[in-house]
Amino acid sequence: MPVRFLTALLAALAFLPALPARAETPELPDRIAAAWRTDHLSVDGRLAIPATELDRIRGAMRTAGVPVYVALVPRTPYLAKNRLDWPTLLHARIGEPGLYLVALVDDNYWSTTAELYRQGGLRGRDLTSVRAEDKQRLDVVSDRPAPQIVRTIQYASTAYDDRPLPAMPAADLEPERPHRGLSVTDKSDRAVYVGLSVGGLLGFMLTLVLGLRRRGKPKRSGSSKSAIEPKNVQLKAGGKIKQAEKALARLDRRRNKTTQLLDQRDDAFRRLDAARTLRADQPEDLLASAGALVLARQAERIASGAALQPPCFFNPTHNPGTAKVDWSDDVEVPACEWCASVVRRGDTPSGLLVPAKSGLLGHDRKPVPYWTLDPEDSPMVATGFGALSDDLADRITGRKEDAR
């Protein structure tokens, strides 16, 4: 019996090398890099891109004045989450200077991520500052790849050799959508339904408010007294944005800028652009206004040559976080002197209080500390307004590109 078993085992081992080996599929960055070694325009095989779009992209690549590498790929959760890292990953594999651009598509929606790398690690104007000065940047169509890719290539040409940024063709811009008028009957019907809906809603709300008042109002807690008026934060953010713009204008007027000054200008532009975006997209939102205030404050300091300071984690509208205090799970966060003193006493600062929907139908908007909200809903919460990670500006800019 042992002899038969040993014979069978040796026979099985003899046949194992003859089995075909399964080749591992290369990772996507490796596949794109391999394709770029023969053609600087890589198109994923799962995509069907019209030839006219590809021809236009190739034409812009030829006349860019700088080597351009372009990859068109379908959007996946992994790509969407890590898209800001892709130019770096691909440059590490190619190792040549030039513009590295990755365009992602989800259904008919295109978004781009790009980085410009110069010869020998030389620094200069980056794409962010060029894009910030483009008044047409938010009007580019997103249902075709060529308009955004060509415009980004033009940004690289301007950043590389200071050539003028050309005007965009009308076909690359979102058309003005004319308002379609309603017929007299439609207007009459709509007015009736709106009136009934509004009347019913107002009656319900009035009944609810009167019922709650009869139960008696609870006394205000110390934290509710600390709630910040959104209008005050909006005004502060608007004023700080203007101060940052003046500081950048002064920096731009300086002659013979060193590499360090150019870096300061680009970093300040990046933060100021994100602050403007928050104020423009969410003018009434308290979180957005506080985020704009933080970013504009940082942009002004950087443009003025001062050291970057993180915000106070507990309340970003306070003075910058110049002190370090222990927070939950052995996490150390920056805090202003006042909030730091509260933490050292063993208490929790009231922090930036924002409305949170609760109660019946979500209408009882009780103020809560901002850090108790879901970080997936806001980059301000996820980064602690930049106190936990200094990538708030990049997250805002990324969201803006995704929302175009």
Side-chain angles (χ1 to χ4, degrees):
M1 188 69 179
V3 175
R4 291 181 181 179
F5 176 77
L6 181 59
T7 303
L9 179 61
L10 292 175
L13 292 175
F15 280 99
L16 283 179
L19 295 176
R22 179 179 294 178
E24 293 186 2
T25 303
E27 293 185 0
L28 183 56
D30 295 325
R31 298 203 300 270
I32 294 176
W36 277 350
R37 291 187 176 92
T38 57
D39 187 350
H40 286 191
L41 177 59
S42 169
V43 182
D44 192 284
R46 293 167 289 182
L47 300 179
I49 309 297
T52 53
E53 292 285 293
L54 298 179
D55 290 342
R56 187 172 171 211
I57 294 172
R58 291 187 186 277
M61 294 169 64
R62 286 193 298 268
T63 60
V66 58
V68 179
Y69 299 85
V70 178
L72 284 71
V73 293
R75 189 185 188 96
T76 64
Y78 172 76
L79 284 173
K81 182 178 179 181
N82 301 279
R83 69 188 187 88
L84 295 177
D85 300 329
W86 276 78
T88 303
L89 296 175
L90 293 168
H91 178 255
R93 286 162 170 79
I94 300 297
E96 297 293 334
L99 173 68
Y100 288 73
L101 189 153
V102 178
L104 306 180
V105 63
D106 185 2
D107 291 332
N108 286 331
Y109 173 75
W110 287 89
S111 61
T112 59
T113 302
E115 192 69 45
L116 179 61
Y117 298 92
R118 289 175 167 81
Q119 184 74 35
L122 296 176
R123 300 298 301 274
R125 193 174 186 192
D126 65 11
L127 300 179
T128 303
S129 64
V130 178
R131 185 178 182 279
E133 297 175 359
D134 181 16
K135 297 181 179 179
Q136 297 179 302
R137 66 187 185 278
L138 299 180
D139 299 324
V140 185
V141 298
S142 59
D143 58 352
R144 294 184 286 120
Q148 292 189 38
I149 294 175
V150 170
R151 195 57 171 175
T152 304
I153 294 174
Q154 292 170 351
Y155 292 155
S157 299
T158 300
Y160 195 75
D161 57 17
D162 205 28
R163 68 176 66 183
L165 191 63
M168 295 186 64
D172 287 356
L173 300 174
E174 291 283 357
E176 299 221 354
R177 295 179 175 82
H179 177 67
R180 295 169 111 187
L182 298 175
S183 65
V184 175
T185 303
D186 290 338
K187 291 180 179 178
S188 175
D189 291 342
R190 186 179 68 175
V192 172
Y193 287 121
V194 170
L196 290 174
S197 301
V198 172
L201 179 62
L202 290 176
F204 171 77
M205 292 299 297
L206 180 60
T207 303
L208 182 62
V209 170
L210 291 175
L212 292 175
R213 283 185 175 179
R214 288 194 185 100
R215 295 183 180 182
K217 293 184 179 179
K219 296 181 179 180
R220 290 187 176 182
S221 63
S223 61
S224 64
K225 293 180 180 179
S226 303
I228 297 177
E229 285 292 334
K231 191 67 176 178
N232 294 339
V233 182
Q234 294 164 14
L235 292 174
K236 288 182 179 179
K240 188 56 69 174
I241 287 175
K242 292 180 180 179
Q243 294 176 18
E245 290 171 343
K246 292 179 181 178
L248 276 167
R250 289 194 298 269
L251 179 57
D252 267 336
R253 287 195 294 268
R254 295 183 62 172
R255 298 181 179 179
N256 302 323
K257 299 183 185 68
T258 62
T259 301
Q260 181 180 0
L261 288 178
L262 291 173
D263 291 343
Q264 289 177 207
R265 183 188 64 178
D266 291 342
D267 191 12
F269 261 121
R270 180 172 60 90
R271 297 173 192 271
L272 178 58
D273 186 38
R276 289 169 173 162
T277 299
L278 286 173
R279 291 288 290 124
D281 293 349
Q282 306 174 62
E284 304 298 327
D285 184 72
L286 178 57
L287 287 175
S289 298
L293 173 61
V294 169
L295 290 166
R297 180 194 293 161
Q298 292 177 339
E300 182 195 19
R301 287 188 60 85
I302 293 172
S304 302
L308 177 66
Q309 291 181 322
C312 173
F313 167 77
F314 300 100
N315 193 330
T317 65
H318 286 178
N319 292 330
T322 55
K324 289 283 189 178
V325 295
D326 290 331
W327 188 231
S328 60
D329 299 328
D330 298 327
V331 175
E332 199 175 52
V333 297
C336 67
E337 290 298 334
W338 188 87
C339 289
S341 64
V342 175
V343 174
R344 294 187 185 112
R345 291 198 306 265
D347 297 327
T348 300
S350 57
L352 178 66
L353 299 179
V354 296
K357 292 182 179 180
S358 62
L360 183 62
L361 299 180
H363 292 295
D364 181 17
R365 300 173 64 83
K366 179 181 178 181
V368 297
Y370 82 88
W371 60 80
T372 62
L373 303 180
D374 188 352
E376 295 293 332
D377 294 338
S378 170
M380 274 70 71
V381 178
T383 65
F385 291 89
L388 301 178
S389 60
D390 188 30
D391 60 348
L392 178 58
D394 291 333
R395 295 193 185 208
I396 297 302
T397 304
R399 279 197 169 194
K400 176 175 63 176
E401 292 176 357
D402 286 343
R404 282 201 311 235

